[in-house]
Amino acid sequence: MADLVWKGRGRAGRSTRTLRVRASAVLVALIALAVLLVPPLAQLDQQAVDLSMKLHAPSWAHPFGTDDVGRDLLLRCVYGLRVSLLVGLVAALVATVIGTAVGAAAGAFGGWTDRLVMRAVDTLASIPHLLLGVFIVAMFRPGVWPVVVSVALTHWLSTARIVRAEVLSLRSRPFVDAAISGGASRLRVTVRHLVPAVLPQAGLAAVLMIPHAMWHESALSFLGLGLPAHQASLGNLVQTARGSLLAGDWWPTLFPGLLLIVPTLAIAGLAGAWRDRLNPRRRSELTL
């Protein structure tokens, strides 16, 4: 009887996870289609100002309503999501490359290299990401690339720790000893064997970093330190809508906020499935 109960729970858990992964995949596909197709196909200019349409509530003509100068908020949100995703993707890629290189070097060479690198990682991790990001962005003019650099330089630390732990576990494997016995240098072993072995974990870290980078960019833009005010991004849209919210107009704040939350949930759902595939033991525990 207990076995039947556990099997029933396992089937229910598997079906729930399958449904969650499929829903996440559908959301990611819809977001990609909107970002790629809506701006080229839209006949309205996202910068077109029409003061006669100022702060109109959502309707069939404007599903997300209009902003404080009469611009279509749906188109503005799609453009903002496009910019925020670009920042998130590029920053996550750069941060993953940095974190993988640093973590692999620390784990493969060990000794004083490992101690020096990890003390530097711990020191940087003790500084709040947003504070460090503000300091980096303040050295440049507002724009996309300063934000990308700021996010990338403050988000590689967790990847470095993950890669280092994986490399430490792989360093004692027989194939590493065989390569070193065959005359390969430790640098060659690291580049040819250890780094490719940890790429799945690094890729998962990069995927999980995308929504984090989007939120970081939005926070910087909300503070007026990220993208220029005239450029649509989700952070800029929320920042511009603060006055409208105090006046009782909820839609200029709600829809950009939702477009930050929905991609986060969708990417987290897909990343969870990827993590379960990388960790068969955890997947078997979840199916009990």
Side-chain angles (χ1 to χ4, degrees):
M1 185 65 181
D3 291 341
L4 292 176
V5 172
W6 281 110
K7 289 180 180 179
R9 290 181 179 177
R11 294 192 188 97
R14 285 193 296 271
S15 62
T16 301
R17 287 195 307 279
T18 301
L19 181 61
R20 184 171 64 247
V21 171
R22 289 178 178 174
S24 299
V26 170
L27 285 175
V28 169
L30 290 176
I31 291 169
L33 287 175
V35 167
L36 294 175
L37 298 181
V38 170
L41 295 178
Q43 298 180 357
L44 295 174
D45 183 0
Q46 58 109 4
Q47 293 286 6
V49 174
D50 184 2
L51 294 179
S52 65
M53 295 294 295
K54 176 181 177 181
L55 290 175
H56 276 220
S59 62
W60 287 110
H62 302 282
F64 284 11
T66 61
D67 64 7
D68 57 344
V69 291
R71 293 173 295 194
D72 182 73
L73 195 56
L74 172 59
L75 194 55
R76 294 277 291 170
C77 284
V78 172
Y79 272 95
L81 179 60
R82 199 180 197 183
V83 172
S84 296
L85 276 175
L86 172 65
V87 172
L89 285 169
V90 177
L93 178 61
V94 174
T96 300
V97 172
I98 296 173
T100 301
V102 172
F109 291 94
W112 67 267
T113 302
D114 184 24
R115 292 192 294 271
L116 180 63
V117 169
M118 295 316 296
R119 293 297 78 75
V121 169
D122 293 339
T123 302
L124 290 174
S126 65
I127 304 174
H129 285 176
L130 186 58
L131 181 61
L132 186 58
V134 167
F135 174 76
I136 295 172
V137 169
M139 296 188 296
F140 304 94
R141 291 182 178 180
V144 172
W145 293 112
V147 175
V148 169
V149 171
S150 169
V151 175
L153 292 181
T154 56
H155 286 73
W156 59 270
L157 305 174
S158 59
T159 303
R161 287 171 170 166
I162 293 171
V163 170
R164 172 184 175 270
E166 291 293 329
V167 169
L168 287 175
S169 67
L170 292 171
R171 198 173 63 176
S172 59
R173 298 288 180 86
F175 73 90
V176 175
D177 294 335
I180 295 176
S181 300
S185 65
R186 189 163 294 277
L187 178 61
R188 182 179 178 84
V189 170
T190 302
V191 174
R192 293 290 300 273
H193 300 286
L194 296 178
V195 171
V198 301
L199 285 182
Q201 288 78 9
L204 176 59
V207 171
L208 289 171
M209 200 183 303
I210 293 172
H212 193 179
M214 290 175 61
W215 282 90
H216 198 88
E217 177 274 322
S218 298
L220 290 173
S221 297
F222 182 82
L223 294 174
L225 299 170
L227 302 182
H230 68 274
Q231 186 169 6
S233 77
L234 296 179
N236 276 341
L237 292 175
V238 174
Q239 195 275 342
T240 304
R242 287 186 302 169
S244 301
L245 182 63
L246 294 175
D249 301 319
W250 49 268
W251 56 92
T253 304
L254 174 65
F255 292 113
L258 286 177
L259 286 183
L260 272 173
I261 296 173
V262 171
T264 300
L265 296 177
I267 293 173
L270 292 179
W274 188 351
R275 180 188 57 204
D276 293 343
R277 286 184 177 274
L278 291 178
N279 191 349
R281 180 182 298 177
R282 183 178 185 276
R283 187 169 68 246
S284 64
E285 291 173 354
L286 290 173
T287 56
L288 291 177

